[in-house]
Amino acid sequence: MIVVMQPGATREEIAMVCRRLEELGFKAHPIYGQEKTVIGAIGDKRALSSDALVNLPGVEKIVPILKPYKLVSKELKNTPTIVRIGGVPIGGRSIVVMAGPCAVESEEQLMVTAWAVKEAGAQILRGGAFKPRTSPYSFQGLEEEGLKILARVREETGLPFVTEVLDTRDVPLVAEYADALQIGARNMQNFRLLKEAGATGKPILLKRGLAATIEEWLLAAEYILDTGNPQVILCERGIRTFETATRFTLDLAAIAVVKENSHLPIIVDPSHGTGNWKYVVPLARAAIAAGADGLLVEVHPDPARALCDGPQSLHPETFERLMGEVAAVALAVGRVAAGGSESCWGWKPVGTEAIKRKAQTIKRKA
Amino acid sequence: MIVVMQPGATREEIAMVCRRLEELGFKAHPIYGQEKTVIGAIGDKRALSSDALVNLPGVEKIVPILKPYKLVSKELKNTPTIVRIGGVPIGGRSIVVMAGPCAVESEEQLMVTAWAVKEAGAQILRGGAFKPRTSPYSFQGLEEEGLKILARVREETGLPFVTEVLDTRDVPLVAEYADALQIGARNMQNFRLLKEAGATGKPILLKRGLAATIEEWLLAAEYILDTGNPQVILCERGIRTFETATRFTLDLAAIAVVKENSHLPIIVDPSHGTGNWKYVVPLARAAIAAGADGLLVEVHPDPARALCDGPQSLHPETFERLMGEVAAVALAVGRVAAGGSESCWGWKPVGTEAIKRKAQTIKRKA
Amino acid sequence: MIVVMQPGATREEIAMVCRRLEELGFKAHPIYGQEKTVIGAIGDKRALSSDALVNLPGVEKIVPILKPYKLVSKELKNTPTIVRIGGVPIGGRSIVVMAGPCAVESEEQLMVTAWAVKEAGAQILRGGAFKPRTSPYSFQGLEEEGLKILARVREETGLPFVTEVLDTRDVPLVAEYADALQIGARNMQNFRLLKEAGATGKPILLKRGLAATIEEWLLAAEYILDTGNPQVILCERGIRTFETATRFTLDLAAIAVVKENSHLPIIVDPSHGTGNWKYVVPLARAAIAAGADGLLVEVHPDPARALCDGPQSLHPETFERLMGEVAAVALAVGRVAAGGSESCWGWKPVGTEAIKRKAQTIKRKA
Amino acid sequence: MIVVMQPGATREEIAMVCRRLEELGFKAHPIYGQEKTVIGAIGDKRALSSDALVNLPGVEKIVPILKPYKLVSKELKNTPTIVRIGGVPIGGRSIVVMAGPCAVESEEQLMVTAWAVKEAGAQILRGGAFKPRTSPYSFQGLEEEGLKILARVREETGLPFVTEVLDTRDVPLVAEYADALQIGARNMQNFRLLKEAGATGKPILLKRGLAATIEEWLLAAEYILDTGNPQVILCERGIRTFETATRFTLDLAAIAVVKENSHLPIIVDPSHGTGNWKYVVPLARAAIAAGADGLLVEVHPDPARALCDGPQSLHPETFERLMGEVAAVALAVGRVAAGGSESCWGWKPVGTEAIKRKAQTIKRKA
């Protein structure tokens, strides 16, 4: 920490700051400049609320030097963390795609979607049972019934699933069913929820808050690691800016910043990040090219009738195209993705025919 | 709702959108323009996720016409709502100031602060027992012990208090002690917490999320009103922007926008809104001049030793000055504030001497 | 300047940074911390592009300590600068209001507006002859004809005027007519224009860029002062944020930040700052309460037919109300404004009748 | 255009809006809803300042339907525009990389850089002779001497060059030397400069303003096309947001939005877009994956001694790596880039040895 004194700070003021720093357990090193004096404070800033020193007479500002996070930091652990969701490793050489509808609406809707995304190469299913909605008049999710549907679809398709938990009280219930818990953007700084979810020991998918700095996001992950659970996947999903052509502004530089500072894996959600299905495929490619470890993509069998986030949901056929294009980019950056064949350009969309047959079987059963 | 068709949309596409609108219970009114066709849809948009229509062939975009909120709207109730916290009315002619430390640190700290702010004219005490902190290594609050201290200080000073609740599980406990529950900025879209807090019937102080539009904020309030509890006070506390000279950017135009669209009272928190005690007094004056119904201000007897938000906390003497200056501005806009005498310019700071005596009494007792 | 070294920086890397600093004329003071070494560099950072040092091996980041501006700084000149436009002092105890239409459309339009704003208490006329318009298809201004109209209206009403200059080539022409030159928000970092306008010696009204930090704004003013012209008035006019309920977000804390760091006067433009005439009056009051030295307000005799910025233009009667309310707030903060009588509440709108008579006289002449 | 009336708007108010619309040359189609009436206005909004209608009694808001731009629009021209700079086509299948130092500092510095970037595969040289600098105390460029150096380096290396023009007065001079003119982010809405630069008929590289919406950016391009010059290349270079880990937030979704709405080519500047050389390579890959037609990259032979933008400049060896990685991604998205061999993974960095030899030759000459 560096304490910057005001231009006219007196000797007494400087001495008082030094004394106060020593009281707080720091060693104080003043440097007397031509216009200003700065005081280097050696010690561990994390232990105290040292920004309050700015109130001492003659102090202009406090400049922190150490990063405020520890456990998530590459300075502590310099090898990439690999998180496993139902056996699928995230953070290694393979790109992992998690896909599914915004909200679980019915068993049929989810089953059709799950088969479609699986055949296209997705390895993890996503779907909301508890939905945070801006308006109280919007569909709020099927709740426990939604979790049961997710579990049945997992049983049939073999896809592990991630689903959001909104409330500390629901954590045990959701953890009973889900392979991984999602903390949504609006709950990124719901610190109680972070602790409670972390304590389950389940993998946590931590979305970036829509006005959260990368540092705040890593500190939110630090809350989870601090419970003893290192299984955190970060998910960039767009931040709020002045631009209105897209719903949010996807911050792909965040991938590079996270990779420089943390050992945690990071994936990208181009569906929320753009809010418009037309932009999902190019931004998915860009995310992988920038170094993301995976994607979270919204897919709906009939987007025009989706109860939630229809405008940004991909039709299964577009999702297949996404998987093929992502696989090509993955290879170009030295990684592999399940959606494409191993041959460099010979990727061929998997069968929508197969998906339709599957869907008909399900309808017959119902 | 208006459906805007793409320039080359075919007759069939237009007909299909009209059919779909009729299915959803709307009446469709197409208008054929020179370059584009638009379709007016008459009916209640709130009932359905109509934005999914954008996925129909030939549709360019959906333009909502109706406001998405109802209960908080001036269209529903055209007289100002007056909320009472421990008998103090907020939203009427009087400006109400809520003041106190960021966090309850000890009974002495709170008692001294409470007497100081009361003597300066504050009518409601604020203080955090449960603290949402960006870092897991920061002081997290005294929790129930903090609530007990708040209750004892209320008993002695007569000041009702507002305190934050972070977790649905704590709502009954906090509601047992507090006169009003605060929903913090980071929880503005914690919809479960909104519902649970609303259901207590207690007044709710709803802070604006740091990336929340005014419309989203009113929709968050709508969640509370939807529980049958109309006692909501909105609190503007600054939004995230690119400017770093202040911690947040206080959006005072939000007061005018809220007053135009809603019947709910609105107050301003210049402490969080600026993050720097030097800017709190001028922004407090500005908030009242813009039409705010009150203020929420952080005051600490020794800001340089505060465990939380020291840089933005006022020393009690500065707070007295704030109260005097706010009272003068209140009169200028046709309102009254407790801090100033009724004479236009004759305001005189109340006695810091009295506060010091009180503090000594408390120390002796301890 | 502080150079922060990476955690694992070697002795050689530290030594090399110190050598490089000495080469650049700094004295280097390394402080060896537990986790990181920081090197204090004593000297004048402004002289060189020292941020390039971040490329030296082992360097993590550079933290500037000195403010990058000098001439505009309070550290250099601790008394408020008073700028005079046609004899009207800005930056003293009196609040100065500059008002008029967005664009000069005709002599009649400007004459009627000028008389109206003068009778309401405005002391300076504003009006655009050269208009920066987002679309090439919008009205671009009357150019020199507009300047001539402004000059004739000044002659008749006695109001000095400020008008925008867009192009270095127009500076001599505009300076020949105008009492003060406005640099618009979109040109705040048009450094050539700043220099050219500054060199005229005329007072310069420097609007804040819509994505400019306060520091960048003061550096833009520094360009003007660096030409030897100290006559700069800063004008806050709203910044770009995610909020869409207003056209921009008026940053009133900027007033307090500017007053803390600079001796230059600052005024506020609530018309552009909100983009909606309904919000202009409360925000004008708030600006004065926050400490602004004046206002810039758009007024149009028939806003619904304005060729530019109609939605944010005040009708003359609303402007009269603004002047009265501003005068009351000015008194509350220890200042005076021309719009109100000296008695605290006895303000009475000046005669719209008189304005209408004047307008009829003008029509008869035309 | 749609005029939305307030909930309580009277028949007379609706009739008056219709009459006014007819006066303005629109046909008015009112639709009477349950809560609100909306009026569809058929005609060409671009002709008039119709937003002023919001001031008519009973009007709530105006919703534009047509895009405000025409010439840049895909609705007008549905095939991609290919712009040629010194014979190099931009906007076709090939990815074009423009590289060079932020500022031209000396002939040797530029010559070494030019050979280095050429050997790595760059096809166009960039370098600033006129520099827009935030501070008046920073290096402002070599001006005409810089242009001469650029011309000499072009002669020797065969690389055409693009350079920024800051002032309408300099347009003839810069156009005399340069193959393409750059309009910088801070001048994106310097409309006079747009017109003057456009009128030269030279290709224009138009950077996005740091707070400009995509729509405003396309309107700025419209100014240039309106001079009869269709040779515009858009350049995304990051927007201002709250995130401070990077200097700006690179908005890669802008590529997809531009490609959806315009026929103009778009390139990306990952150097300014991140402000940190460590993030340039991954973001360059991402830009190409997202669909960009090229890149603009800052390269300096000794970044730690650069007079401008050192922190974001690549060392030539890192630039070679960038070119190889970009070439692989280009192939993955069905395009080609000059930096890589045609074989999928066999790319090998071109010779830094060759560059060093070249540099020595130049030094010997000097």
Side-chain angles (χ1 to χ4, degrees):
Chain A
M1 182 174 62
I2 303 285
V3 180
V4 180
M5 302 299 293
Q6 290 163 358
T10 63
R11 281 195 163 271
E12 288 71 37
E13 286 168 347
I14 294 166
M16 195 213 271
V17 171
C18 291
R19 269 201 310 279
R20 190 67 211 285
L21 285 170
E22 310 273 353
E23 264 176 63
L24 291 167
F26 289 99
K27 284 188 69 175
H29 286 256
I31 303 177
Y32 301 92
Q34 290 162 341
E35 298 186 36
K36 290 182 185 176
T37 295
V38 301
I39 305 170
I42 298 182
D44 187 346
K45 177 208 131 72
R46 296 181 196 94
L48 82 158
S49 177
S50 50
D51 55 359
L53 291 173
V54 81
N55 289 291
L56 290 179
V59 174
E60 183 178 301
K61 62 177 171 182
I62 307 293
V63 179
I65 296 299
L66 298 182
K67 302 245 164 64
Y69 45 78
K70 256 184 182 162
L71 304 174
V72 302
S73 169
K74 239 175 156 171
E75 293 176 10
L76 190 80
K77 171 174 184 292
N78 202 10
T79 54
T81 289
I82 293 183
V83 177
R84 284 175 188 278
I85 296 183
V88 180
I90 295 134
R93 193 169 166 248
S94 288
I95 298 301
V96 174
V97 179
M98 313 180 185
C102 172
V104 177
E105 298 171 13
S106 70
E107 181 161 345
E108 189 194 325
Q109 170 244 20
L110 190 68
M111 194 71 85
V112 171
T113 312
W115 278 115
V117 302
K118 183 179 182 178
E119 300 216 5
Q123 290 174 277
I124 294 170
L125 180 65
R126 61 146 291 153
F130 296 91
K131 296 301 308 169
R133 301 304 298 273
T134 303
S135 164
Y137 308 122
S138 299
F139 175 61
Q140 309 270 323
L142 297 179
E143 308 202 339
E144 188 170 1
E145 180 53 28
L147 295 173
K148 287 181 178 164
I149 291 173
L150 282 158
R152 284 198 294 271
V153 171
R154 170 177 54 196
E155 205 176 349
E156 175 134 355
T157 62
L159 290 175
F161 73 85
V162 57
T163 197
E164 183 166 356
V165 60
L166 295 178
D167 188 332
T168 49
R169 295 173 304 184
D170 298 330
V171 169
L173 179 72
V174 178
E176 192 189 318
Y177 288 93
D179 298 284
L181 306 184
Q182 179 180 313
I183 303 290
R186 285 165 184 77
N187 277 318
M188 190 202 87
Q189 292 191 314
N190 183 338
F191 302 109
R192 292 300 198 82
L193 186 60
L194 294 175
K195 288 182 195 178
E196 204 71 24
T200 63
K202 290 267 179 181
I204 308 293
L205 184 66
L206 178 63
K207 290 197 149 192
R208 181 179 181 185
L210 40 94
T213 62
I214 296 169
E215 187 172 291
E216 290 170 341
W217 189 18
L218 290 174
L219 279 164
E222 186 91 359
Y223 265 95
I224 300 169
L225 268 70
D226 196 40
T227 67
N229 180 352
Q231 301 261 97
V232 175
I233 302 161
L234 301 167
C235 179
E236 160 65 30
R237 48 76 74 211
I239 56 173
R240 271 268 159 91
T241 73
F242 62 83
E243 179 58 69
T244 54
T246 44
R247 200 168 155 207
F248 296 99
T249 297
L250 201 60
D251 178 11
L252 294 182
I255 300 166
V257 177
V258 164
K259 290 284 176 196
E260 189 193 7
N261 290 288
S262 178
H263 51 84
L264 295 175
I266 176 169
I267 67 171
V268 170
D269 175 350
S271 305
H272 284 88
T274 61
N276 186 329
W277 71 268
K278 288 179 203 161
Y279 308 143
V280 170
V281 178
L283 274 296
R285 292 190 315 244
I288 298 309
D293 298 303
L295 297 168
L296 186 69
V297 180
E298 288 192 352
V299 179
H300 194 284
D302 185 358
R305 287 171 198 268
L307 295 182
C308 168
D309 282 350
Q312 73 200 33
S313 294
L314 295 187
H315 189 276
E317 298 196 19
T318 315
F319 179 69
E320 285 181 46
R321 183 160 66 76
L322 176 147
M323 290 300 292
E325 299 191 8
V326 158
V329 173
L331 286 172
V333 296
R335 303 184 79 163
V336 281
S341 65
E342 279 291 327
S343 78
C344 201
W345 311 120
W347 181 84
K348 207 194 128 290
V350 290
T352 41
E353 279 315 303
I355 296 161
K356 282 180 197 146
R357 277 198 306 277
K358 201 83 200 178
Q360 280 163 358
T361 319
I362 295 158
K363 273 187 191 147
R364 270 197 302 274
K365 280 191 208 165
Chain B
M1 184 174 62
I2 303 284
V3 181
V4 180
M5 302 301 291
Q6 290 163 359
T10 63
R11 282 198 163 269
E12 290 70 38
E13 287 168 346
I14 295 167
M16 195 214 271
V17 170
C18 291
R19 269 200 310 279
R20 190 68 211 285
L21 285 170
E22 310 273 352
E23 265 176 62
L24 292 167
F26 289 98
K27 284 189 70 175
H29 286 255
I31 304 177
Y32 302 93
Q34 290 162 341
E35 298 185 35
K36 289 182 184 175
T37 295
V38 301
I39 306 171
I42 299 183
D44 187 346
K45 179 207 129 72
R46 295 180 196 94
L48 82 156
S49 176
S50 50
D51 54 1
L53 290 172
V54 82
N55 288 291
L56 290 178
V59 173
E60 182 178 302
K61 63 177 171 180
I62 308 293
V63 180
I65 297 299
L66 298 181
K67 301 244 163 66
Y69 44 79
K70 256 183 181 159
L71 305 173
V72 302
S73 169
K74 239 175 158 171
E75 293 176 10
L76 189 82
K77 171 173 183 290
N78 202 10
T79 54
T81 289
I82 292 182
V83 176
R84 283 173 190 279
I85 296 182
V88 181
I90 296 133
R93 194 170 165 248
S94 289
I95 298 301
V96 173
V97 179
M98 312 180 186
C102 172
V104 177
E105 299 170 13
S106 70
E107 181 160 346
E108 190 194 324
Q109 169 243 23
L110 190 68
M111 194 71 85
V112 171
T113 312
W115 279 115
V117 301
K118 183 179 183 177
E119 298 215 10
Q123 291 175 278
I124 294 170
L125 181 65
R126 61 145 291 153
F130 296 91
K131 295 303 306 170
R133 301 303 299 274
T134 302
S135 164
Y137 309 121
S138 300
F139 175 61
Q140 308 270 324
L142 297 180
E143 308 203 339
E144 188 168 0
E145 180 53 28
L147 296 173
K148 286 181 179 163
I149 292 173
L150 281 158
R152 285 198 294 271
V153 171
R154 171 177 55 196
E155 206 177 349
E156 175 134 354
T157 62
L159 289 175
F161 73 86
V162 57
T163 197
E164 183 165 355
V165 60
L166 295 178
D167 189 333
T168 49
R169 295 173 304 185
D170 298 330
V171 168
L173 178 72
V174 179
E176 192 190 317
Y177 288 93
D179 299 283
L181 306 183
Q182 179 181 312
I183 304 289
R186 284 165 185 78
N187 278 317
M188 190 202 88
Q189 292 191 315
N190 183 339
F191 303 110
R192 293 301 198 80
L193 185 61
L194 295 175
K195 288 181 192 178
E196 203 71 24
T200 63
K202 290 267 177 181
I204 308 293
L205 184 66
L206 179 63
K207 290 198 149 191
R208 182 180 180 182
L210 40 94
T213 62
I214 297 169
E215 189 173 289
E216 289 170 341
W217 188 19
L218 290 174
L219 279 164
E222 186 91 1
Y223 265 94
I224 300 169
L225 269 70
D226 197 41
T227 67
N229 180 353
Q231 302 262 96
V232 176
I233 302 161
L234 300 166
C235 179
E236 161 64 30
R237 47 79 71 212
I239 57 173
R240 270 267 158 92
T241 73
F242 63 84
E243 179 58 68
T244 54
T246 44
R247 200 168 154 206
F248 296 99
T249 296
L250 201 61
D251 178 12
L252 294 182
I255 300 167
V257 176
V258 163
K259 290 284 177 195
E260 189 193 9
N261 291 288
S262 177
H263 51 84
L264 295 175
I266 176 170
I267 69 171
V268 171
D269 175 350
S271 305
H272 284 88
T274 62
N276 186 329
W277 71 268
K278 289 179 202 160
Y279 308 144
V280 169
V281 176
L283 274 297
R285 292 189 316 243
I288 299 309
D293 298 303
L295 297 168
L296 187 69
V297 180
E298 288 192 352
V299 179
H300 194 284
D302 185 359
R305 288 172 197 267
L307 295 182
C308 167
D309 282 351
Q312 72 199 35
S313 293
L314 295 186
H315 188 275
E317 297 196 21
T318 315
F319 179 69
E320 285 180 47
R321 184 161 65 78
L322 177 147
M323 290 301 290
E325 298 191 9
V326 159
V329 172
L331 286 172
V333 296
R335 304 183 79 162
V336 280
S341 66
E342 279 291 326
S343 79
C344 201
W345 312 122
W347 179 85
K348 207 193 129 291
V350 289
T352 41
E353 278 317 303
I355 295 162
K356 284 180 197 147
R357 276 197 307 277
K358 202 81 199 179
Q360 280 163 356
T361 319
I362 295 159
K363 274 187 191 149
R364 270 196 302 275
K365 278 192 210 166
Chain C
M1 184 175 61
I2 302 284
V3 180
V4 181
M5 302 300 292
Q6 290 165 359
T10 63
R11 283 198 161 268
E12 288 71 37
E13 286 167 346
I14 294 166
M16 196 214 271
V17 170
C18 291
R19 270 200 310 279
R20 190 69 209 284
L21 285 169
E22 310 273 354
E23 264 175 63
L24 292 167
F26 289 99
K27 284 188 68 176
H29 286 255
I31 304 177
Y32 301 92
Q34 290 161 341
E35 299 186 36
K36 290 182 185 175
T37 295
V38 301
I39 305 170
I42 298 183
D44 187 345
K45 177 207 130 74
R46 295 180 196 94
L48 82 157
S49 178
S50 50
D51 54 359
L53 291 174
V54 81
N55 288 291
L56 290 179
V59 174
E60 183 178 301
K61 63 177 173 183
I62 308 293
V63 180
I65 297 299
L66 298 181
K67 300 243 164 65
Y69 44 79
K70 255 183 182 160
L71 305 173
V72 302
S73 168
K74 241 176 155 172
E75 293 175 10
L76 190 81
K77 172 174 183 290
N78 202 10
T79 54
T81 289
I82 294 183
V83 177
R84 282 173 192 280
I85 297 182
V88 180
I90 295 131
R93 193 168 166 249
S94 287
I95 298 301
V96 173
V97 179
M98 313 180 185
C102 171
V104 178
E105 298 170 14
S106 70
E107 181 160 345
E108 189 194 326
Q109 169 244 21
L110 189 68
M111 194 70 87
V112 171
T113 312
W115 278 114
V117 302
K118 183 181 184 176
E119 298 215 8
Q123 290 174 277
I124 294 170
L125 181 65
R126 61 145 291 154
F130 297 91
K131 296 301 307 170
R133 301 303 299 274
T134 302
S135 165
Y137 309 122
S138 299
F139 175 61
Q140 309 270 324
L142 296 179
E143 309 202 340
E144 187 169 2
E145 180 53 28
L147 295 172
K148 287 180 178 164
I149 292 173
L150 281 158
R152 285 198 293 273
V153 171
R154 170 177 55 195
E155 206 177 347
E156 176 133 354
T157 62
L159 288 175
F161 72 86
V162 58
T163 196
E164 183 165 355
V165 60
L166 294 178
D167 189 333
T168 50
R169 296 172 304 184
D170 298 331
V171 168
L173 179 72
V174 178
E176 192 190 318
Y177 289 93
D179 299 284
L181 306 183
Q182 179 181 312
I183 303 289
R186 285 165 185 77
N187 277 318
M188 190 202 88
Q189 292 191 314
N190 183 338
F191 303 110
R192 294 298 198 84
L193 186 60
L194 295 175
K195 288 181 193 177
E196 204 71 25
T200 64
K202 292 266 178 180
I204 309 293
L205 183 67
L206 178 64
K207 289 198 150 190
R208 179 178 182 185
L210 39 94
T213 62
I214 296 168
E215 188 173 291
E216 290 170 340
W217 189 19
L218 290 174
L219 278 165
E222 186 91 359
Y223 265 94
I224 300 169
L225 270 69
D226 196 41
T227 67
N229 180 351
Q231 301 261 97
V232 175
I233 302 161
L234 301 166
C235 178
E236 160 65 30
R237 47 77 74 212
I239 56 173
R240 270 268 158 92
T241 72
F242 63 83
E243 179 58 69
T244 54
T246 45
R247 202 169 152 205
F248 296 100
T249 296
L250 202 60
D251 178 12
L252 294 182
I255 300 166
V257 176
V258 164
K259 290 284 177 197
E260 189 193 6
N261 291 287
S262 178
H263 51 84
L264 295 175
I266 176 169
I267 69 171
V268 170
D269 175 349
S271 305
H272 284 89
T274 62
N276 186 329
W277 71 268
K278 288 179 202 160
Y279 308 144
V280 170
V281 177
L283 274 297
R285 292 190 316 243
I288 298 309
D293 298 303
L295 297 167
L296 186 69
V297 181
E298 289 193 350
V299 179
H300 194 282
D302 185 358
R305 287 173 196 267
L307 295 183
C308 167
D309 282 350
Q312 72 200 34
S313 294
L314 294 187
H315 189 274
E317 297 197 19
T318 315
F319 179 69
E320 286 180 47
R321 184 160 64 76
L322 176 148
M323 290 300 291
E325 299 191 8
V326 158
V329 172
L331 286 172
V333 296
R335 303 184 79 164
V336 281
S341 67
E342 280 289 327
S343 77
C344 200
W345 310 119
W347 180 85
K348 206 191 129 291
V350 289
T352 42
E353 279 315 302
I355 296 161
K356 282 179 197 149
R357 276 196 308 276
K358 201 84 199 175
Q360 280 163 358
T361 319
I362 296 159
K363 274 186 191 150
R364 269 195 304 273
K365 281 191 209 166
Chain D
M1 184 175 62
I2 303 284
V3 180
V4 180
M5 303 299 293
Q6 290 163 358
T10 63
R11 283 197 161 270
E12 289 71 37
E13 287 168 347
I14 294 166
M16 195 214 270
V17 170
C18 291
R19 270 200 310 279
R20 191 66 211 287
L21 285 170
E22 310 273 351
E23 264 176 64
L24 292 167
F26 289 99
K27 285 189 67 176
H29 286 255
I31 304 177
Y32 302 92
Q34 290 162 341
E35 298 185 36
K36 290 182 184 177
T37 295
V38 301
I39 305 171
I42 299 183
D44 187 346
K45 177 208 130 73
R46 295 181 195 93
L48 82 156
S49 177
S50 51
D51 55 359
L53 290 172
V54 81
N55 288 291
L56 291 179
V59 174
E60 182 178 300
K61 63 176 172 182
I62 308 294
V63 180
I65 297 300
L66 298 182
K67 302 246 162 65
Y69 44 79
K70 255 182 182 162
L71 305 173
V72 302
S73 169
K74 239 177 158 171
E75 293 176 10
L76 190 80
K77 172 174 183 290
N78 202 11
T79 54
T81 289
I82 293 182
V83 176
R84 282 174 191 277
I85 296 184
V88 180
I90 296 133
R93 192 167 166 250
S94 288
I95 298 302
V96 174
V97 179
M98 312 181 186
C102 173
V104 177
E105 298 170 14
S106 70
E107 182 160 343
E108 189 194 324
Q109 169 241 24
L110 190 68
M111 194 72 83
V112 171
T113 311
W115 278 115
V117 302
K118 183 179 181 178
E119 298 215 8
Q123 291 174 278
I124 294 170
L125 181 66
R126 61 146 291 155
F130 296 92
K131 297 300 308 169
R133 301 303 299 272
T134 303
S135 163
Y137 308 122
S138 299
F139 175 61
Q140 308 269 324
L142 297 179
E143 308 202 341
E144 188 169 0
E145 180 52 29
L147 296 173
K148 287 180 179 163
I149 292 173
L150 281 158
R152 285 198 294 270
V153 171
R154 171 177 55 197
E155 207 177 346
E156 174 134 357
T157 61
L159 289 176
F161 72 85
V162 57
T163 197
E164 183 165 356
V165 60
L166 295 177
D167 188 332
T168 50
R169 296 172 305 184
D170 299 330
V171 169
L173 178 72
V174 178
E176 193 191 317
Y177 288 93
D179 299 284
L181 306 183
Q182 178 181 313
I183 304 289
R186 284 165 185 77
N187 276 318
M188 191 201 86
Q189 292 192 314
N190 183 339
F191 303 110
R192 292 301 198 83
L193 185 61
L194 295 175
K195 287 182 193 178
E196 205 70 24
T200 64
K202 291 266 178 181
I204 309 292
L205 183 66
L206 179 63
K207 290 199 150 189
R208 180 179 181 184
L210 41 94
T213 62
I214 296 169
E215 188 171 292
E216 289 169 343
W217 188 19
L218 291 174
L219 279 164
E222 186 91 0
Y223 265 95
I224 300 169
L225 270 70
D226 196 40
T227 67
N229 180 352
Q231 301 262 96
V232 176
I233 302 161
L234 301 167
C235 180
E236 161 64 30
R237 46 78 72 214
I239 57 173
R240 270 267 156 92
T241 72
F242 63 83
E243 179 57 69
T244 54
T246 44
R247 200 167 154 208
F248 296 100
T249 296
L250 200 61
D251 178 12
L252 294 182
I255 300 166
V257 176
V258 163
K259 291 283 176 196
E260 190 193 8
N261 290 288
S262 177
H263 51 83
L264 295 175
I266 176 170
I267 68 170
V268 169
D269 175 349
S271 305
H272 284 89
T274 61
N276 186 329
W277 71 269
K278 289 179 203 159
Y279 308 145
V280 170
V281 177
L283 274 296
R285 292 189 315 243
I288 299 308
D293 298 303
L295 297 168
L296 187 68
V297 180
E298 288 191 352
V299 178
H300 194 284
D302 186 359
R305 288 172 196 267
L307 295 182
C308 167
D309 281 351
Q312 73 200 33
S313 293
L314 294 187
H315 188 275
E317 297 196 21
T318 315
F319 179 68
E320 285 180 48
R321 183 160 65 77
L322 176 147
M323 290 300 292
E325 299 192 9
V326 159
V329 172
L331 286 172
V333 297
R335 303 183 80 164
V336 280
S341 66
E342 280 289 327
S343 79
C344 202
W345 309 119
W347 180 85
K348 207 192 128 290
V350 289
T352 41
E353 278 317 303
I355 295 161
K356 282 179 198 148
R357 276 197 307 276
K358 202 83 201 177
Q360 280 163 358
T361 319
I362 295 159
K363 273 188 192 148
R364 270 196 302 273
K365 280 191 210 167

